[in-house]
């Protein structure tokens, strides 16, 4: 946890303070199917398996990311997002999220990329080709300043960020996506929110 807290350094996607009672880390890849399942914004993917069928669609699965976001926005937890190549086509998407974070629009970009449209775009069209970044900008629509996003991507400000995040995550001994940490407790894979609740409740 100490290593993770050091990443609340103004150079990473973080919300809240590192000394919060609850620090939640998400290791994710916007091109990874199980990351999409955990985000709960891609029902077509969730519904391919009874295990991941969401409550809204008649299943039992509660995507953890929206619940984490609620805790963060309520000031009850701090949060850090780190990239690891779970599916391998998320580098430009990750750069877009870092650029969006500069605008204070991380969640807006995250939520667009974690839809079916975002998944198909990153995996089938953009892959890791920064020359296709304009298509990611188009996907964002009016959710943020498109011109600023394009300028940031063109500048390659975050071109090395995916590799840096990945190296850090691997230094912790992890690499699969998604992996979550609640302080030092690890929740691996796209588990339902129920897997997080006992640890969260004990800390609240």
């Amino acid at each position: 946890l100490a290593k993770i807290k050091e990443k609340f350094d103004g150079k990473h996607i973080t919300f809240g303070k590192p000394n919060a009672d609850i620090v939640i880390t998400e290791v994710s890849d916007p091109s990874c199917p199980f990351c999409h399942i955990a985000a709960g914004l891609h029902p077509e993917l969730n519904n391919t398996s009874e295990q991941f069928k969401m409550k809204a669609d008649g299943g039992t699965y509660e995507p953890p990311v929206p619940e984490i976001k609620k805790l963060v926005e309520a000031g009850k937890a701090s949060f850090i997002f780190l990239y690891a190549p779970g599916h391998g086509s998320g580098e430009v998407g990750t750069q877009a999220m870092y650029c969006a974070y500069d605008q204070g629009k991380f969640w807006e970009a995250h939520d667009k990329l974690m839809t079916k449209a975002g998944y198909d775009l990153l995996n089938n069209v953009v892959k890791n080709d920064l020359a296709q970044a304009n298509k990611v900008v188009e996907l964002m629509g009016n959710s943020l300043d498109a011109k600023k996003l394009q300028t940031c991507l063109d500048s390659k400000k975050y071109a090395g960020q995916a590799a840096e995040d990945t190296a850090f995550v691997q230094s912790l001994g992890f690499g699969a996506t998604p992996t979550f940490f609640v302080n030092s407790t690890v929740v691996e894979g796209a588990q339902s929110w129920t897997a997080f609740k006992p640890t969260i409740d004990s800390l609240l």
Side-chain angles (χ1 to χ4, degrees), residues 185-196:
T185 300
V186 181
V187 183
E188 285 195 87
Q191 296 193 50
S192 184
W193 179 239
T194 50
F196 294 74

Side-chain angles (χ1 to χ4, degrees), residues 75-87:
K76 293 179 179 176
S78 292
F79 176 75
I80 178 167
F81 180 95
L82 296 164
Y83 172 82
H87 210 54

Side-chain angles (χ1 to χ4, degrees), residues 82-191:
L82 296 164
Y83 172 82
H87 210 54
S89 296
E91 290 183 18
V92 174
T94 298
Q95 289 177 53
M97 285 194 282
Y98 267 90
C99 286
Y101 177 74
D102 284 352
Q103 295 186 32
K105 298 282 187 180
F106 165 74
W107 287 111
E108 286 82 350
H110 170 279
D111 290 358
K112 290 278 188 183
L113 289 167
M114 290 297 185
T115 60
K116 183 178 189 301
Y119 184 84
D120 292 344
L121 183 67
L122 292 181
N123 283 302
N124 302 328
V125 181
V126 176
K127 298 175 183 173
N128 294 324
D129 181 7
L130 198 55
Q132 303 281 337
N134 63 303
K135 294 185 172 69
V136 175
V137 175
E138 285 168 18
L139 176 75
M140 296 299 149
N142 298 323
S143 60
L144 43 71
D145 187 323
K147 194 173 176 186
K148 273 188 188 170
L149 180 61
Q150 186 71 57
T151 300
C152 178
L153 287 164
D154 289 345
S155 75
K156 300 186 179 176
K157 179 179 179 181
Y158 293 110
Q161 195 64 51
E164 186 194 313
D165 278 9
T166 301
F168 174 66
V169 170
Q170 288 172 346
S171 79
L172 299 175
F174 294 89
T177 57
T179 297
F180 298 89
F181 302 88
V182 181
N183 290 351
S184 298
T185 300
V186 181
V187 183
E188 285 195 87
Q191 296 193 50

